[in-house]
């Protein structure tokens, strides 16, 4: 528990970390308003995804958070001091994962609620309420999406260590891979299994049979499961790298 509290304290003292978390909420809400206004008056469209499409931009701030939490310590060399305080690398990594997960859970929940309210307000009469079909599923899915993307980022950053390299790898993967190449039909058969493409599917109102605009080889919850596997694999790789590599 002391190691967990220490990790939370370190997050609060690094100025860029709270800023990235606040940016996640701000961009998620602002994006929902922009896309809600853009879609207002159009038919047909997905009113739920209108709120959550902005999360594809808000996740960039979470990528920065996940990279800074561990990459910042490698860049400044403070990871060596941290390991002197907690020599057991397994315990050190577990405390970091627990702290990152706790912060991601809270920030993601706030972001999803803000994005939904802002997006539906922007849609006006075309908006939906919390009691409409699929709303809760999409909200839970959006929350899980942000949490798992953050954990995936943290795992990759633990392996790569250098913040610049981690951002250089993750930002194109999450923004240019499935978002860009995913629009190419022949490439989509592969890119649909990338972390963000799989995890974001549940944020739509309808599933595969009902949504001709977002075809997938899996259902909404299966897509979240694919993202969870990506996150688990990244965390495991980070754990092994931390345990078996020199921190210099």
């Amino acid at each position: 528990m002391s190691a967990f509290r220490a990790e939370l304290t370190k997050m609060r003292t690094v100025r860029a970390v709270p800023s990235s978390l606040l940016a996640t909420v701000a961009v998620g809400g602002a994006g929902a308003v922009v896309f809600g206004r853009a879609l207002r008056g159009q038919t047909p469209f997905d009113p739920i995804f209108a709120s959550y499409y902005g999360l594809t931009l808000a996740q960039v701030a979470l990528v920065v958070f996940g990279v800074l939490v561990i990459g910042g310590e490698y860049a400044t060399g403070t990871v060596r001091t941290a390991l002197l305080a907690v020599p057991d690398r397994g315990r050190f990594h577990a405390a970091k994962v627990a702290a990152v997960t706790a912060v991601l859970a809270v920030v993601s929940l706030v972001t999803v609620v803000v994005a939904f309210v802002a997006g539906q307000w922007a849609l006006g009469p075309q908006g939906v309420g919390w009691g409409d079909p699929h709303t809760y599923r999409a909200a839970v899915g959006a929350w899980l999406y942000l949490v798992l993307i953050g954990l995936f980022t943290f795992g990759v950053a633990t392996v790569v260590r250098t913040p610049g390299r981690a951002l250089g790898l993750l930002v194109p993967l999450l923004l240019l891979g499935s978002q860009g190449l995913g629009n190419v039909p022949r490439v989509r058969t592969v890119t649909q299994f990338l972390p963000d493409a799989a995890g974001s599917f549940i944020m739509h109102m309808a599933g595969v049979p009902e949504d001709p605009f977002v075809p997938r080889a899996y259902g909404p919850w299966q897509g979240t499961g694919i993202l969870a596997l990506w996150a688990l694999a990244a965390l495991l790789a980070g754990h092994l790298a931390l345990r078996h590599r020199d921190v210099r």
Side-chain angles (χ1 to χ4, degrees), residues 50-65:
S51 280
Y52 297 144
Y53 186 73
L55 299 184
T56 59
L57 299 177
Q59 71 180 352
V60 175
L62 281 187
V63 168
V64 174
F65 164 73

Side-chain angles (χ1 to χ4, degrees), residues 15-85:
R15 183 178 302 177
V17 169
S19 298
S20 65
L21 297 174
L22 289 173
T24 302
V25 179
V27 173
V33 172
V34 170
F35 289 113
R37 287 291 185 182
L39 292 173
R40 189 169 180 173
Q42 297 186 23
T43 54
F45 74 101
D46 186 336
I48 291 180
F49 195 61
S51 280
Y52 297 144
Y53 186 73
L55 299 184
T56 59
L57 299 177
Q59 71 180 352
V60 175
L62 281 187
V63 168
V64 174
F65 164 73
V67 168
L68 288 177
V69 167
I70 183 67
E73 290 195 52
Y74 277 112
T76 59
T78 55
V79 66
R80 292 189 289 272
T81 304
L83 287 173
L84 286 175

Side-chain angles (χ1 to χ4, degrees), residues 145 147-157 159 169-170 173-174 178 190-200 218 222-238:
Y145 174 79
V147 172
L148 292 170
I149 282 290
L151 290 174
F152 171 74
T153 297
F154 172 75
V156 172
V159 175
L169 172 65
L170 288 163
L173 173 66
L174 297 178
S178 61
V190 176
T191 59
Q192 67 176 315
F193 294 101
L194 290 176
D196 61 321
S200 65
Y218 45 79
Q222 288 84 356
T224 300
I226 292 171
L227 173 56
L229 290 176
W230 276 101
L232 181 61
L235 290 174
L236 179 59

Side-chain angles (χ1 to χ4, degrees), residues 6 33 37 50 88 117 121 139 143 162-163 180 202 223 239:
V33 172
R37 287 291 185 182
D88 186 336
V117 173
W121 170 81
W143 176 72
T162 306
I202 199 171
H239 173 76

